[in-house]
Amino acid sequence: MHFELSKVSPEFLKFSYSESESALSINQKMTEKEYRSLLKIYPSQPETHLQLKNLRDESQMFLSKEDLKDLDTYAKRIRGEILFAGAWLLCEGQSEYLLLRYFADLMGKPFDQMGISVIDFQNNGSPGAFVALARAFEIPWIMICDNDSGGKDFVRQVKERGLTDEEIEELIHLLPGDEGTDLEAFLLNNGFVDEYVQILDDKGVALGKTKGEAGFKTELSQKIRNDKVVYARLLTEKLRTCKADVSRVPIFIREVLNHLFARIS
């Protein structure tokens, strides 16, 4: 007997068995309960148990109709170039997309030249769907997300695709800092306070507190969150005007990007 991940449409039964080929097929993700039930059917058969384990692991990459719809929309929007990339950098939204590309430029390793596609998954589908697709096409990837409840939910979605704890630790990077740290808090904690104060002043946005005063960073981050993408773009423009160099790239970002660069070298 052998086992395989079926290519048939999900409308059909989840499991099917071919007597002529002695093959058990599955066309959806296998649950842990189903896996253990199948093991009981073949007691004391280690080779069969190994085949079932491989089938269970492969089934975690199954893409549902909803996954495929989201991925199809995203691929069409960017002309499918992600499927030809050397690696993927998964991030939450457009603010991260803009800043990560800029930081890579400062490091002298533009993503376009490195063959890296940045995918802001929150606007284009679930991170789990992109991870499953990356694994199916054997595309190296790394993910960055906020260190808050939303970011941890994204981690859970990816883990449900069958990744081990070791893979999660290696490939998914939560922003460093206290619980609840998002991109804006991370940037303010990594040397961009003065730039943001200048940007707000240029836009005529007043702050009630001054630098060094209790609650100043909290107020500043709240102002930035009101229009996250615009402020991310203005920050990159401000840094370009000031002729910023690689020293302005936060150490955490530098380490994650170097890890990604190493995966395609």
Side-chain angles (χ1 to χ4, degrees):
M1 173 178 286
H2 68 277
F3 307 94
E4 62 183 28
L5 185 62
S6 175
K7 302 296 189 296
V8 300
S9 173
E11 284 86 6
F12 294 95
L13 294 176
K14 185 172 186 178
F15 290 92
S16 60
Y17 180 72
S18 170
E19 293 188 9
S20 60
E21 298 180 2
S22 296
L24 174 69
S25 300
I26 183 172
N27 58 24
Q28 294 181 37
K29 289 200 297 184
M30 184 188 298
T31 67
E32 189 66 20
K33 182 178 180 180
E34 290 167 339
Y35 169 61
R36 296 192 179 281
S37 295
L38 285 169
L39 291 178
K40 293 177 182 178
I41 297 175
Y42 305 98
S44 304
Q45 297 184 39
E47 289 188 7
T48 301
H49 287 188
L50 179 59
Q51 289 178 313
L52 285 168
K53 179 182 182 300
N54 291 336
L55 181 64
R56 179 201 61 182
D57 293 345
E58 288 182 22
S59 77
Q60 303 310 304
M61 293 187 284
F62 176 82
L63 295 170
S64 68
K65 278 187 172 182
E66 290 73 23
D67 290 335
L68 292 173
K69 187 181 298 182
D70 289 338
L71 293 170
D72 182 58
T73 300
Y74 182 76
K76 285 179 178 176
R77 184 168 66 83
I78 60 171
R79 300 179 301 280
E81 64 187 43
I82 61 170
L83 300 180
F84 301 95
W88 292 354
L89 176 57
L90 304 177
C91 62
E92 290 195 25
Q94 297 178 55
S95 300
E96 290 86 352
Y97 180 94
L98 292 170
L99 288 164
L100 290 169
R101 291 184 68 88
Y102 175 68
F103 287 142
D105 290 345
L106 287 183
M107 293 174 66
K109 295 182 177 180
F111 287 145
D112 291 340
Q113 293 182 18
M114 299 295 293
I116 294 172
S117 286
V118 185
I119 298 174
D120 49 325
F121 58 78
Q122 196 168 18
N123 301 309
N124 301 288
S126 74
F130 281 108
V131 166
L133 190 63
R135 296 178 78 189
F137 281 86
E138 299 183 345
I139 298 173
W141 63 275
I142 277 179
M143 184 170 111
I144 294 177
C145 54
D146 293 346
N147 188 6
D148 58 11
S149 59
K152 290 175 181 177
D153 186 57
F154 292 140
V155 175
R156 178 191 59 77
Q157 292 178 36
V158 171
K159 190 169 184 178
E160 287 178 350
R161 299 291 174 158
L163 273 71
T164 64
D165 290 338
E166 291 74 19
E167 289 174 317
I168 293 291
E169 184 176 356
E170 177 188 4
L171 301 174
I172 300 181
H173 303 270
L174 296 174
L175 293 176
D178 297 333
E179 183 83 16
T181 296
D182 60 8
L183 177 65
E184 289 70 36
F186 169 77
L187 292 169
L188 294 179
N189 290 332
N190 282 270
F192 298 102
V193 169
D194 291 341
E195 283 82 7
Y196 273 126
V197 170
Q198 292 171 17
I199 289 169
L200 289 175
D201 186 60
D202 292 342
K203 289 177 66 65
V205 178
L207 290 168
K209 299 182 180 296
T210 59
K211 188 176 180 180
E213 188 177 353
F216 168 73
K217 279 190 177 180
T218 299
E219 182 188 11
L220 182 55
S221 62
Q222 289 173 345
K223 297 286 187 183
I224 298 168
R225 291 187 189 102
N226 288 335
D227 205 344
K228 302 172 67 165
V229 178
V230 168
Y231 283 116
R233 175 178 57 79
L234 291 173
L235 177 60
T236 62
E237 291 176 0
K238 177 72 70 175
L239 292 170
R240 285 193 180 94
T241 300
C242 297
K243 300 188 184 303
D245 59 24
V246 67
S247 67
R248 298 304 308 275
V249 180
I251 293 174
F252 167 78
I253 298 296
R254 212 178 308 173
E255 290 176 347
V256 171
L257 294 187
N258 280 329
H259 183 193
L260 181 59
F261 297 146
R263 298 201 73 204
I264 59 175
S265 62

